[in-house]
C-alpha cells in the first residue's frame, strides 16, 4: 500500500517534469528563429508629426487648378502641406495645419494663437514658411495703431522670432522676400517695408538661426526674384519654368499658382527630410511629379458638354414655287 501511494504521488511530478522539458526544448529551437527574424526585419519609423503655421501662401490662397479631360472638367485647390504630401508620398505624416489666409488681419494675435496650438500638438517639425512675413509687412504697429517708423517693423519682427523660440523640434522658416511688385494689386504702399528694413530683418533672421541649430532658413527672397524675373524656380538641379498659360505666380504677384506651390513644396520637403533625418525615405521630390500626383486627386467639377451638331447643308437648291395658271373667264 505504501508503494502504491508513493507511485500515486510520483506520477504527476513525473508528468510535470516531462512537459517542462518539452517547453524548454521548444524555446531553445524557436527563440533563435525569432531573434533572426527581428534582426532581419526593417525597423518601422513612427509617422512624423508636422505642424504648419503661416499665412496665405501656406494656406493656398487662390491656389486652384483646373483641367479639362475627356470625361469632364476637373478642379482642385491645394495648400502647401497637400503638395508636400504629393512631393513625397512615402513619408508618413501626421499633420496639424494651422496656416490661415486671414493671418494678416492681426498677425501678432494670430501668430500667438497658431504657435500655441502648434506647441500643444508636440510636432517633430514646424513648417513656418511664411510665418514671419506679416511680422515685418503690414501697417499695424506692435503696440497697436499704425506703423509710423520703420524701426517698429524691426520690433514687431522680434515678436515673431519669440514665437518660434517656443518650439523644441525642427523648424523650417522662410526669409522675407521683396514683394513691392504687389503694390497696387494685393498690397498698399504703407504695408511694404523699405528695402533697408528687409535687409535688416533677413540679417537678423540668419543671425538668430545660427544660435538655433534646429532651424532651417529657406531663401524665399531668392525664389521670389526668380519667379518675378524668370517665371522659374530652382529645385536642386531642376529648373521649373512656367509658361504664359501656366505661370508659377498668380496675377497678384504675391501668391504662387498650383504649379508654383508644387515647386515650393519640393524645396520644403527636401529641407524636411534633412531636418528630421529622414533621408532614407525613398523619394526625390520633383515638381512635375508632385503636380501630377496632385492632379490625380482632383475631383470632377463638370460633366462633358454634349456636342451640338451643325445643321445639315441643303442637298440642292430649293425649287421655286410654280405660279398657278390664270383662271378662265366666266361665260356670259
Amino acid at each position: 500500500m505504501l508503494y502504491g501511494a508513493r507511485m500515486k504521488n510520483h506520477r504527476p511530478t513525473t508528468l510535470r517534469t516531462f512537459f517542462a522539458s518539452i517547453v524548454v526544448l521548444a524555446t531553445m529551437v524557436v527563440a533563435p528563429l525569432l531573434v533572426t527574424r527581428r534582426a532581419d526585419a526593417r525597423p518601422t519609423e513612427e509617422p512624423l508629426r508636422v505642424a504648419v503655421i503661416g499665412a496665405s501662401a501656406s494656406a493656398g490662397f487662390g491656389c486652384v487648378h483646373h483641367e479639362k479631360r475627356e470625361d469632364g472638367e476637373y478642379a482642385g485647390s491645394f495648400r502647401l502641406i497637400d503638395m508636400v504630401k504629393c512631393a513625397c508620398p512615402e513619408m508618413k505624416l501626421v499633420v496639424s495645419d494651422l496656416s490661415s489666409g486671414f493671418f494678416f488681419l492681426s498677425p501678432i494675435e494670430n501668430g500667438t494663437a497658431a504657435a500655441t496650438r502648434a506647441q500643444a500638438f508636440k510636432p517633430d517639425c514646424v513648417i513656418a514658411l511664411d510665418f514671419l512675413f506679416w511680422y515685418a509687412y503690414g501697417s499695424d504697429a506692435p503696440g497697436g495703431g499704425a506703423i509710423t517708423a520703420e524701426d517698429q517693423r524691426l520690433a514687431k519682427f522680434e515678436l515673431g522670432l519669440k514665437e518660434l523660440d517656443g518650439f523644441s523640434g525642427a523648424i523650417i522658416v522662410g526669409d522675407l522676400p521683396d514683394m513691392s511688385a504687389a503694390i497696387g494689386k494685393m498690397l498698399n504702399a504703407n504695408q511694404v517695408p523699405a528695402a533697408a528694413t528687409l535687409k535688416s530683418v533677413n540679417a537678423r533672421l540668419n543671425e538668430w538661426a545660427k544660435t538655433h541649430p534646429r532651424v532651417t532658413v529657406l531663401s524665399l527672397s531668392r525664389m521670389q526674384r526668380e519667379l518675378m524675373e524668370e517665371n522659374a524656380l530652382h529645385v536642386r538641379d531642376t529648373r521649373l519654368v512656367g509658361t504664359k498659360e501656366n505661370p508659377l505666380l498668380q496675377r497678384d504677384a504675391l501668391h504662387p499658382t498650383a504649379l508654383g506651390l508644387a515647386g515650393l513644396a519640393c524645396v520644403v520637403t527636401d529641407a524636411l527630410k534633412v531636418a528630421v533625418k529622414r533621408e532614407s525615405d525613398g523619394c526625390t521630390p520633383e515638381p512635375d511629379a508632385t503636380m501630377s500626383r496632385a492632379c490625380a486627386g482632383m475631383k470632377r467639377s463638370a460633366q462633358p458638354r454634349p456636342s451640338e451638331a451643325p445643321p445639315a447643308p441643303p442637298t440642292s437648291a430649293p425649287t421655286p414655287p410654280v405660279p398657278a395658271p390664270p383662271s378662265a373667264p366666266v361665260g356670259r
Side-chain angles (χ1 to χ4, degrees), residues 20-310:
S21 301
I22 293 295
V23 171
V24 171
L25 286 171
T27 304
M28 292 173 65
V29 172
V30 174
L33 296 176
L34 293 175
V35 171
T36 303
R37 284 187 179 180
R38 288 195 189 103
D40 292 342
R42 184 180 176 182
T44 56
E45 293 178 322
E46 291 293 324
L48 283 175
R49 298 179 67 82
V50 176
V52 183
I53 56 175
S56 51
S58 295
F61 177 85
C63 198
V64 180
H65 185 70
H66 298 272
E67 192 173 274
K68 288 186 178 181
R69 302 177 188 172
E70 291 182 358
D71 60 339
E73 296 179 7
Y74 285 71
S77 59
F78 305 101
R79 300 170 74 91
L80 174 62
I81 195 62
D82 298 329
M83 288 297 188
V84 168
K85 291 177 180 178
C86 291
C88 189
E90 297 88 346
M91 190 181 292
K92 296 179 181 178
L93 303 178
V94 177
V95 174
S96 176
D97 188 355
L98 302 169
S99 60
S100 171
F102 298 102
F103 191 98
F104 73 99
L105 292 175
S106 186
I108 296 174
E109 289 77 9
N110 290 335
T112 298
T116 301
R117 290 179 61 191
Q119 289 167 21
F121 180 67
K122 301 186 183 306
D124 299 304
C125 182
V126 177
I127 299 175
L129 189 65
D130 57 344
F131 179 77
L132 294 174
F133 183 85
W134 291 105
Y135 282 95
Y137 279 79
S139 56
D140 51 326
I147 284 179
T148 56
E150 288 295 294
D151 59 352
Q152 290 175 300
R153 298 188 189 276
L154 302 178
K156 188 166 70 165
F157 190 74
E158 292 296 327
L159 298 178
L161 293 179
K162 184 179 178 181
E163 297 294 352
L164 295 181
D165 263 327
F167 293 100
S168 58
I171 302 173
I172 298 171
V173 62
D175 68 359
L176 271 62
D178 177 7
M179 290 297 191
S180 56
I183 293 176
K185 297 177 181 178
M186 285 291 285
L187 296 176
N188 295 322
N190 65 344
Q191 293 179 298
V192 178
T197 304
L198 276 180
K199 186 176 180 180
S200 295
V201 295
N202 283 335
R204 172 66 181 120
L205 173 60
N206 288 317
E207 175 191 352
W208 174 82
K210 287 178 182 177
T211 62
H212 296 73
R214 68 190 187 280
V215 173
T216 301
V217 178
L218 299 182
S219 183
L220 286 180
S221 54
R222 175 188 58 78
M223 289 186 270
Q224 178 65 14
R225 283 196 302 272
E226 289 181 346
L227 291 171
M228 289 298 299
E229 297 172 5
E230 307 172 31
N231 193 20
L233 185 66
H234 278 88
V235 181
R236 289 185 314 280
D237 298 329
T238 302
R239 188 169 183 265
L240 176 64
V241 180
T243 63
K244 185 177 180 180
E245 295 75 21
N246 199 9
L248 304 183
L249 205 59
Q250 296 182 37
R251 292 180 180 177
D252 61 14
L254 189 65
H255 299 98
T257 62
L259 182 58
L261 192 65
L264 286 173
C266 289
V267 176
V268 170
T269 305
D270 276 335
L272 175 62
K273 291 177 64 179
V274 174
V276 296
K277 297 179 173 56
R278 287 289 182 94
E279 296 96 328
S280 59
D281 282 317
C283 69
T284 302
E286 297 291 347
D288 290 337
T290 299
M291 190 66 203
S292 178
R293 294 186 192 105
C295 289
M298 294 194 309
K299 304 295 184 183
R300 187 166 63 181
S301 58
Q303 299 281 353
R305 296 179 180 179
S307 57
E308 298 179 359

